[in-house]
Amino acid sequence: MTLPYGAKLGKATIVYETSEGITGSPVSGSQVDIAAPVQIFLKDAEGNACKYVLTVTVGKSSSANLRSIVNKEYFTEGKIFSPLIRFALPVLLALFLQTMYGAVDLLIVGQFGIAADVSAVSTGSLIMQTVTVVITSLAMGLTILVGRKIGEGYREEAGKIIGSGICLFGAIAVALSMVMVFAAPVLAQIMHAPAEAFDKTVSYIKICSAGTVFIVSYNLIGSIFRGIGDSTMPLVTVAIACVLIWLILIAPVVTPYIKTLFIH
């Protein structure tokens, strides 16, 4: 028998059932020391006896098991400070890259658009940044729950939490996308968007809100990876997304402009 990681071996009550006419020693319900193998003797009415040996062990920590598969950071053993720094830096960088989406939009629109366009992107970016922060905060709760269960050695419970989180955030993503798209005019009104930039603000919010599913999905997956001790993969994912956005959407627009600057 293997107990979960962290369980203490000592006195325990042994309980077993036998057929009629069979007696056992030690008696079912008695206290035994499970730190050492426990011998159980059973004897029937005719004097025939047999012996069973119960050996109780404690399972390895989840960190020890998972380290053999992939290199991750764990905080249940050894030093804390240096692993914590190595874990936190990718998290901070990933959050920084997420916040830069709106700044890049402003940079591009500022080069090619008019004042109303800049106002629309600025107002819409604030709304989308608020949505992103809320989603990130909710996903952090999933990270804590998964990390706690893995640290305690209950990986099956961690898997159940991940499954529940996927269902919950899937529903949130669909609902939030619909609400944001249809409520875009109301949100622009709440933010007091200028009249000359109102329609463009609504359009910007609708376009960005259509991608809310992807924002939720990234933060959900990132929270799961961080919960199991890997904060690098979410950073790599958002970095790849930034590069693709630049190559597909931004570079075709910016490159001709840059060329004209050098030509003139």
Side-chain angles (χ1 to χ4, degrees), residues 20 27 44 64-65 67 83 101 105 112-113 119 123 129 132 135 144 167 180 195 209 212 238 246 251 258:
E20 186 177 352
V27 179
D44 62 15
N65 292 334
R67 275 200 191 98
Y101 285 152
D105 287 346
F112 302 99
S119 175
T123 305
Q129 182 61 29
T132 302
I135 294 171
I144 294 169
C167 295
M180 291 286 292
S209 298
T212 303
V238 74
W246 175 268
I258 295 176

Side-chain angles (χ1 to χ4, degrees), residues 21-149:
I22 296 179
T23 59
S25 177
V27 179
S28 178
S30 59
Q31 290 276 324
V32 296
D33 186 3
I34 61 173
V38 179
Q39 296 184 354
I40 303 173
F41 296 91
L42 299 179
K43 183 184 294 186
D44 62 15
E46 298 177 356
N48 299 317
C50 60
K51 180 179 73 173
Y52 295 91
V53 179
L54 173 64
T55 303
V56 181
T57 59
V58 177
K60 294 181 180 179
S61 69
S62 59
S63 58
N65 292 334
L66 290 175
R67 275 200 191 98
S68 61
I69 303 174
V70 63
N71 183 27
K72 297 184 178 69
E73 299 293 353
Y74 293 88
F75 308 103
T76 56
E77 344 174 300
K79 296 181 179 180
I80 296 296
F81 183 75
S82 56
L84 184 61
I85 295 299
R86 289 197 300 269
F87 182 85
L89 285 178
V91 176
L92 294 175
L93 289 174
L95 293 175
F96 173 75
L97 288 177
Q98 277 191 281
T99 58
M100 288 300 293
Y101 285 152
V104 172
D105 287 346
L106 278 174
L107 177 65
I108 302 301
V109 172
Q111 293 293 332
F112 302 99
I114 59 176
D117 300 328
V118 175
S119 175
V121 172
S122 177
T123 305
S125 295
L126 287 175
I127 295 174
M128 295 310 302
Q129 182 61 29
T130 302
V131 171
T132 302
V133 169
V134 171
I135 294 171
T136 303
S137 301
L138 292 174
M140 196 64 69
L142 182 63
T143 299
I144 294 169
L145 290 175
V146 172
R148 176 182 175 182
K149 290 303 178 183

